[in-house]
Amino acid sequence: MLAPEHELVDVITTPAQRAAVDEYIAATKRRSERDRMADAKTVSGVFTGAYARNPVNGAPVPIWLADYVLAGYGTGAVMAVPSGDQRDWLFATHFGLPIPAISDAQKDIDKQADPTKEGRYINSGIINGLTYQEATQQLIAFLEAKGLGKGKVNFRQRDAIFGRQRYWGEPIPIYYKDGTAYGIAESDLPLVLPEIDEYKPTETGEPPLGRAQNWLYRGQYPYELSTMPGWAGSSWYYLRYMDPHNEARFVSEEAEQYWSSVDLYMGGAEHATGHLLYARFWYLFLKDLGLVSSNEPFQKLINQGMILGRSSLVYRLWHRWATNNPYSDEHQALLPDIYVSKGIRDALQDYSVNRNDIPLIAEFNKQLDEIEKLAQQKYPEFDARLEIHDVNGDNKATFSSWNVDVNIVNNDVLDIDKLRESRDDYKLAEFVKENGRYICGWEIEKMSKSKLNSVLPDHLIKQYGADALRLYEMFLGPLEQYKPWNTNGISGVGGFLKKFWRLFHPEDGALAITDEPATPAELKVLHRAIQKAQEDIEKFSFNTSVSLFMITVNELTALKCHKRAILEPLVLLVSPFAPHLAEELWQELGHEAGSISTARYPEFREEYLVEESVTYPLAINGKVREQMQFAAAATAAEIEAAVLASDFLAKHGEGKAAKKVIVVPGRMVNVVV
């Protein structure tokens, strides 16, 4: 496979494939290399019509273009191995190419690729029966002997990126004298950022610090103009917090030994190669110097799971506009791209475009006719005719997917007008709709600007409030797991907060809190919540806490509870999760003098959870017939006697005597007849 930008593409493409290849290259140019590398799900490609010759066995190999092959990586050409590489497997599956097994250890390659390099090679000519290590050496020797290639070891090293060409960050304490770099004297530290007029590079391409006027070391030597990255200073700031006003040392020996290492480090996975890596490096360096006393800088590490975005996708139809003039950039700029709604696109993946007996496909063909007529009316000089690419020869339409901004998509319905306003490349586009709406597809992916699936918090806060946003983020799932974001779900959390508010403010809106004593049922609900919330917070299980609050509010609403003895402690429980709402209610409850953040956490009292009675299901031969309530302290013998003394056996025993009564304490009673 070749990268679409490869210099040989124009040379080897056959006349029959020229139009399809040109269309594919034009589509590829609209995507950045970063997008192409990151997108492992979208499958696209085109056959050039040309073949290469396998240098080992001489077999012809079809040459395809694929946008996940990059011109700047290696030679811009790869030999696809679909049984061992998932992207190659998806490509081969999509285009119906053969997927031969190459190892006797590969399993289920009809379902997915097997990238492991275990077992021995099969279907591989001169390396059959060899292991991966053995085969590598033999193939290198073969290619070198034939003059077809040469073995080479490549190393990939992660760039520390310590110098950044920007203004923000600590200046690097280096100056240059006669082209040689020197460190500034310790007495001249700290080096402070100078004032500049604009925070952007100079007209000659220097970093922003190049804009500083007369910024020279001791008035004569130029400074290094790059700054340190964010994790340079943050690699040790936690130590400075222990003794922030010490003018003699970064932290005194007494303060460092008192505070010791950090109890809890919480950060995302990206911290492992950013802050955490450098913080640990510097701490161990300071340990070697005898300036810190612990063996590790952090006692406990929690990596919070990444919030995954729910990307919205539009589907671009592979097509071309045939005209009575040679195809040119002018035509491409004026004649529209076509995007097809998800339901119609899905139907076209299964059936040919000629299936007019399927309503969605009939609607597709009808709208295409209208788009073609509109183009002919608008640009009669082109005599434009719309042609659909039949890539696989099955008369099915082919599509490429494109991300659109999730902030202009509501419940998967695209706001086409806003899309056209936001991007010039959609201004002339035509959209094939279903039932008058364009329905987007979706994918769960990393939330990023490039995927256009980043949700603007300001918009959500304005619509639902900051507390609803906080609660929803915690409610998404366990702290350490990856969690998919779906803005549609935040409305449920917003509804819960309104229900919580109504415990204090019934329908008329006024505060309605009573000082009546709490009932046992109300105290049970409250103290179960106190116990569970305390356990969840200590385990960082915030999602289950939010679920608990929802259950608690529902139960108190059913009990019509508006009592201070219950609701005041409940506000304290909720305050770490919804601080703004809790603070307002705390003030309304008469605590104007102090913030809820300084109030004492509610005390759990186990006696309120002790059950006075237990309801037992009563069964005949294992089949439950009814229920009966007993004192919680009742013994099995007392329960058995009470059941036999009741009319239960007469009603359900069909006149038979009880052979045995089985009492499972706290669970159920089964009478065997």
Side-chain angles (χ1 to χ4, degrees):
M1 285 191 289
L2 294 181
E5 309 92 338
H6 199 285
E7 58 187 8
L8 289 178
V9 173
D10 192 53
V11 177
I12 66 173
T13 299
T14 63
Q17 291 297 110
R18 174 65 61 186
V21 168
D22 288 347
E23 169 71 13
Y24 186 71
I25 291 173
T28 302
K29 287 179 179 178
R30 300 189 187 103
R31 306 184 72 193
S32 68
E33 281 199 0
R34 182 183 293 273
D35 286 343
R36 288 161 58 182
M37 291 172 64
D39 187 359
K41 297 178 181 178
T42 301
V43 179
S44 69
V46 66
F47 180 42
T48 64
Y51 291 81
R53 188 172 298 281
N54 187 310
V56 177
N57 60 15
V61 180
I63 302 175
W64 286 69
L65 305 187
D67 67 357
Y68 67 90
V69 183
L70 305 177
Y73 186 82
T75 63
V78 298
M79 181 70 173
V81 184
S83 66
D85 180 274
Q86 186 62 19
R87 293 195 75 162
D88 292 347
W89 184 92
L90 290 169
F91 189 93
T93 301
H94 183 81
F95 290 106
L97 302 175
I99 306 178
I102 60 170
S103 166
D104 59 11
Q106 287 180 329
K107 306 293 183 184
D108 299 324
I109 59 171
D110 58 326
K111 298 178 182 177
Q112 64 180 9
D114 181 357
T116 60
K117 293 184 171 55
E118 300 172 356
R120 295 182 178 275
Y121 282 100
I122 59 174
N123 301 322
S124 300
I126 64 172
I127 59 171
N128 278 339
L130 302 182
T131 65
Y132 172 74
Q133 289 79 10
E134 294 167 344
T136 300
Q137 296 304 316
Q138 178 149 326
L139 283 174
I140 291 173
F142 175 86
L143 293 171
E144 288 182 340
K146 297 289 185 180
L148 298 172
K150 187 175 182 180
K152 180 181 178 182
V153 177
N154 290 322
F155 294 93
R156 299 187 69 183
Q157 183 174 350
R158 186 180 186 276
D159 188 353
I161 327 176
F162 196 79
R164 294 287 181 89
Q165 293 195 343
R166 60 184 183 185
Y167 177 79
W168 310 111
E170 299 89 342
I172 297 175
I174 294 292
Y175 70 93
Y176 294 91
K177 179 180 178 181
D178 300 327
T180 302
Y182 296 90
I184 70 174
E186 188 173 345
S187 60
D188 293 323
L189 293 175
L191 179 59
V192 179
L193 285 169
E195 296 289 340
I196 60 175
D197 56 349
E198 287 185 285
Y199 303 112
K200 63 182 183 181
T202 67
E203 289 71 15
T204 56
E206 295 173 311
L209 283 178
R211 295 181 172 275
Q213 298 295 318
N214 301 316
W215 192 52
L216 300 169
Y217 182 56
R218 296 186 175 175
Q220 54 183 322
Y221 303 115
Y223 283 110
E224 167 62 49
L225 298 181
S226 294
T227 59
M228 300 183 203
W231 53 74
S234 66
S235 293
W236 69 280
Y237 74 92
Y238 57 94
L239 295 168
R240 184 62 177 169
Y241 279 160
M242 301 176 183
D243 197 3
H245 303 296
N246 193 323
E247 298 290 338
R249 287 171 53 113
F250 70 102
V251 59
S252 69
E253 186 175 349
E254 297 78 16
E256 192 279 328
Q257 290 182 356
Y258 174 81
W259 291 106
S260 190
S261 54
V262 175
D263 295 322
L264 173 66
Y265 181 106
M266 186 178 294
E270 73 280 0
H271 281 68
T273 54
H275 176 256
L276 183 62
L277 178 70
Y278 294 95
R280 187 171 184 271
F281 171 86
W282 282 109
Y283 189 88
L284 296 180
F285 171 70
L286 293 171
K287 172 72 172 178
D288 290 343
L289 295 179
L291 299 175
V292 292
S293 57
S294 296
N295 292 323
E296 292 287 343
F298 313 112
Q299 293 184 33
K300 181 179 176 63
L301 169 67
I302 293 180
N303 277 330
Q304 76 235 31
M306 186 183 297
I307 300 293
L308 300 175
R310 191 177 188 271
S311 299
S312 292
L313 306 175
V314 294
Y315 300 101
R316 185 180 181 278
L317 176 68
W318 279 33
H319 66 283
R320 70 185 293 266
W321 288 96
T323 72
N324 59 1
N325 296 317
Y327 198 80
S328 67
D329 291 341
E330 181 186 13
H331 299 107
Q332 182 158 343
L334 295 175
L335 295 172
D337 289 335
I338 299 171
Y339 296 87
V340 179
S341 184
K342 183 180 186 299
I344 296 177
R345 175 258 191 185
D346 291 347
L348 289 164
Q349 298 277 292
D350 297 328
Y351 303 102
S352 77
V353 295
N354 295 328
R355 289 292 299 271
N356 279 304
D357 56 325
I358 297 173
L360 286 174
I361 296 180
E363 180 62 25
F364 166 76
N365 289 322
K366 176 184 175 183
Q367 292 188 51
L368 281 196
D369 288 342
E370 293 172 353
I371 291 170
E372 185 178 62
K373 289 177 184 176
L374 184 63
Q376 291 169 349
Q377 292 170 7
K378 196 169 183 180
Y379 306 107
E381 69 274 19
F382 293 159
D383 188 24
R385 300 181 309 281
L386 182 60
E387 297 179 355
I388 300 174
H389 281 174
D390 186 3
V391 175
N392 297 317
D394 54 9
N395 203 29
K396 293 181 181 179
T398 302
F399 302 90
S400 55
S401 59
W402 301 86
N403 291 68
V404 293
D405 188 351
V406 296
N407 294 288
I408 59 173
V409 178
N410 185 20
N411 288 326
D412 295 331
V413 178
L414 174 67
D415 189 325
I416 296 173
D417 291 335
K418 287 186 178 178
L419 178 63
R420 288 191 171 121
E421 291 171 8
S422 65
R423 295 277 297 272
D424 288 342
D425 46 346
Y426 289 107
K427 274 186 168 54
L428 298 176
E430 293 290 344
F431 294 84
V432 177
K433 307 171 187 175
E434 51 184 299
N435 301 319
R437 304 183 303 171
Y438 189 97
I439 307 299
C440 292
W442 57 271
E443 291 280 358
I444 301 298
E445 303 175 290
K446 179 180 178 181
M447 192 176 284
S448 67
K449 290 181 181 178
S450 65
K451 299 294 183 183
L452 303 177
N453 60 2
S454 298
V455 181
L456 301 175
D458 291 350
H459 172 73
L460 295 174
I461 290 170
K462 183 177 180 180
Q463 187 172 0
Y464 299 103
D467 284 339
L469 178 59
R470 285 169 57 94
L471 279 172
Y472 182 62
E473 284 186 314
M474 288 183 270
F475 189 51
L476 281 171
L479 177 64
E480 298 180 60
Q481 292 183 10
Y482 280 41
K483 299 171 279 291
W485 176 274
N486 185 355
T487 303
N488 299 335
I490 197 172
S491 58
V493 176
F496 154 70
L497 288 175
K498 291 176 182 177
K499 200 167 188 178
F500 177 61
W501 176 265
R502 285 196 293 272
L503 287 175
F504 302 81
H505 298 265
E507 296 304 325
D508 62 3
L511 184 67
I513 296 295
T514 71
D515 291 319
E516 299 174 64
T519 65
E522 293 166 341
L523 288 168
K524 179 182 176 182
V525 171
L526 172 65
H527 284 269
R528 187 175 59 207
I530 295 173
Q531 181 189 37
K532 184 71 166 59
Q534 185 170 322
E535 292 173 353
D536 287 347
I537 290 172
E538 290 175 353
K539 294 187 297 185
F540 298 90
S541 183
F542 305 127
N543 60 308
T544 53
S545 294
V546 177
S547 177
L548 164 74
F549 295 146
M550 292 177 175
I551 294 169
T552 300
V553 168
N554 285 338
E555 291 179 341
L556 292 177
T557 300
L559 292 171
K560 298 181 179 179
C561 176
H562 304 290
K563 299 172 182 176
R564 178 183 296 274
I566 300 297
L567 298 187
E568 190 165 280
L570 183 60
V571 175
L572 287 165
L573 284 185
V574 173
S575 63
F577 299 82
H580 304 88
L581 181 63
E583 188 70 57
E584 184 172 344
L585 290 171
W586 190 249
Q587 299 293 320
E588 287 191 353
L589 289 170
H591 302 282
E592 294 89 352
S595 168
I596 194 171
S597 61
T598 62
R600 186 180 180 84
Y601 193 82
E603 181 184 354
F604 167 62
R605 295 177 60 179
E606 190 173 3
E607 62 264 28
Y608 291 125
L609 300 187
V610 175
E611 300 283 356
E612 294 183 0
S613 62
V614 179
T615 300
Y616 281 78
L618 303 186
I620 293 284
N621 292 338
K623 189 172 183 179
V624 175
R625 297 295 186 178
E626 60 181 70
Q627 295 180 336
M628 187 177 292
Q629 200 169 61
F630 300 96
T635 64
E638 291 171 339
I639 293 171
E640 178 181 344
V643 170
L644 294 177
S646 71
D647 61 353
F648 173 71
L649 197 59
K651 287 163 58 179
H652 305 289
E654 299 178 352
K656 299 177 182 178
K659 295 180 180 178
K660 188 177 183 182
V661 178
I662 302 170
V663 179
V664 182
R667 300 290 298 277
M668 71 174 297
V669 178
N670 182 34
V671 179
V672 181
V673 297

